[in-house]
Amino acid sequence: MPTEPSGTRRRITFVFPIYNEEGNIDLLHRTVDEVTAPLADRYDFSFLYVDDGSRDSSLALLTALAERDNRVTVVELSRNFGHQMAVTAGLDLVDADATIIMDSDLQDPPRVALELIEKWEEGFDVVYAQRRSRQDSAFKKITASAFYWFLRKMAAVDIPKNTGDFRLIDRKVVDELRRYRERDRFLRGLVSYIGFKQTAVVFDRDKRHAGVTGYPLRKMLRFAADGILGFSVTPLRLISRFGYLISALSFFGVLYVIGVKLFAPQTAVPGWAFITIAMFFLGGIQIIMLGVLGSYIGRTYSQVQNRPLYGVASVRTGLTQLERAVESGVDAGTGVR
Ligand code: UDP
Ligand code: MG
């Protein structure tokens, strides 16, 4: 990695969002501690727990943990802000060369973190953990795969399927991510959107160790909407297409009416044609106009999201060469000594 001079130990921080995880915290910490211990001579590990307004004894457990282990930091949010906000708070506060985001219910197996670190060492900036299998209810599996299918169809960026927030991200991606301040956050989408060198590591997702999911159906739907609406204006475009379709129907209506008039005038009901065709035509125009409004709203929306216009991965110039030339007495402007 270019940023660190050789010899310095690189820092890796785990970020754990915590919402009512009293049954998991101790085991989680013990497991990550064990798993990372063999690498402790190469990296400085630290653990950032973000308590997202838990209503159980999670915060007390975390406080006790921080007293036992000085690598632990606990951030207490003022109320429950939701998983994505808790992770965002964590990302805003870390100061590490790599950050590993992980769920706290041991569904994301801590040993996979080692594979993420390996890939990072190979030079990837984002290493996301992709589920090969998952131990969830049939309902969760079906809704999740439908969601990812739909999201990939709709979204303007390529968001990997079967991938949660379990991932390692390099410092430069964290820095970039901090510039994205939109309120309805779909972090995995933002990370894809940002770019840099990304790769996957596949794993088998375990069952939640203890406690219940913090994602009931209502939150899941909200989250799905954040994913789709945050990365796609396709629904708005569909409005205009639908309008054109309805208008086209009025055109076919005209053909039909002419046909009736020419070939079977005795069956023509007076006034019918005018009303039906006008109905389709006006209906179509109205929907097309909604689509026009929609395209302005879409632009307004992306403007207020206020995302950075681009991200720079590196700048390569001949500057150092030029500087060297200046140092050795060459006139940089002319190349003459
Ligand atoms: N979580 C959170 N705030 C919430 C809901 C969940 O910080 O409002 C945390 C939770 O403690 C866990 C992670 O987000 O570490 C994933 O949540 P959960 O396991 O409940 O979701 P599921 O795996 O069922 O999708
Ligand atoms: Mg879970």
Side-chain angles (χ1 to χ4, degrees), residues 59-303:
L59 185 61
L61 287 171
L62 292 175
T63 314
L65 195 62
E67 273 161 24
R68 287 203 301 277
D69 187 337
N70 62 8
R71 301 167 302 168
V72 170
T73 307
V74 179
V75 175
E76 178 195 359
L77 297 188
S78 55
R79 64 169 170 83
N80 178 246
F81 282 92
H83 175 209
Q84 299 290 298
M85 286 300 176
V87 175
T88 302
L91 291 173
D92 284 347
L93 293 164
V94 287
D95 177 20
D97 300 303
T99 303
I100 298 177
I101 305 168
M102 229 165 101
D103 282 2
S104 313
D105 53 2
L106 292 138
Q107 281 200 289
D108 299 336
R111 66 195 134 70
V112 177
L114 302 183
E115 295 173 46
L116 303 183
I117 294 170
E118 252 169 55
K119 286 279 177 198
W120 176 54
E121 285 293 357
E122 285 172 24
F124 289 99
D125 303 309
V126 175
V127 190
Y128 51 88
Q130 194 163 34
R131 295 184 286 265
R132 180 166 41 202
S133 68
R134 62 191 295 175
Q135 309 281 319
D136 275 311
S137 64
F139 178 73
K140 182 116 191 176
K141 281 185 193 169
I142 293 168
T143 48
S145 66
F147 167 65
Y148 283 109
W149 177 82
F150 193 60
L151 181 63
R152 287 175 66 83
K153 281 256 174 290
M154 302 281 271
V157 287
D158 193 15
I159 299 173
K161 64 174 184 216
N162 299 331
T163 304
D165 287 318
F166 184 19
R167 59 188 63 212
L168 176 151
I169 47 187
D170 185 84
R171 182 192 286 278
K172 52 184 181 245
V173 181
V174 174
D175 287 344
E176 195 65 29
L177 208 46
R178 285 185 185 144
R179 300 166 64 206
Y180 289 70
R181 303 314 294 179
E182 58 202 70
R183 305 190 57 86
D184 298 301
R185 300 179 78 75
F186 188 67
L187 284 168
R188 56 198 77 167
L190 286 179
V191 173
S192 301
Y193 186 87
I194 284 172
F196 290 94
K197 271 184 260 157
Q198 310 211 359
T199 191
V201 158
V202 290
F203 77 109
D204 297 298
R205 193 163 208 238
D206 292 333
K207 265 205 191 67
R208 165 174 269 277
H209 170 67
V212 292
T213 174
Y215 269 101
L217 186 63
R218 177 180 50 82
K219 269 199 202 168
M220 240 156 65
L221 290 175
R222 176 79 223 269
F223 186 57
D226 286 344
I228 290 160
L229 299 179
F231 291 90
S232 164
V233 288
T234 315
L236 290 175
R237 261 194 234 120
L238 289 181
I239 300 178
S240 340
R241 281 201 208 146
F242 188 64
Y244 288 122
L245 185 81
I246 298 280
S247 308
L249 285 183
S250 76
F251 175 71
F252 289 118
V254 170
L255 292 185
Y256 175 74
V257 167
I258 292 173
V260 169
K261 271 267 182 260
L262 287 181
F263 301 110
Q266 68 284 6
T267 61
V269 179
W272 172 88
F274 177 73
I275 290 176
T276 318
I277 290 169
M279 194 183 76
F280 275 112
F281 182 70
L282 286 179
I285 295 279
Q286 281 170 343
I287 298 171
I288 291 171
M289 288 305 146
L290 277 185
V292 171
L293 288 182
S295 21
Y296 283 96
I297 291 173
R299 281 157 183 261
T300 313
Y301 175 55
S302 66
Q303 187 70 44

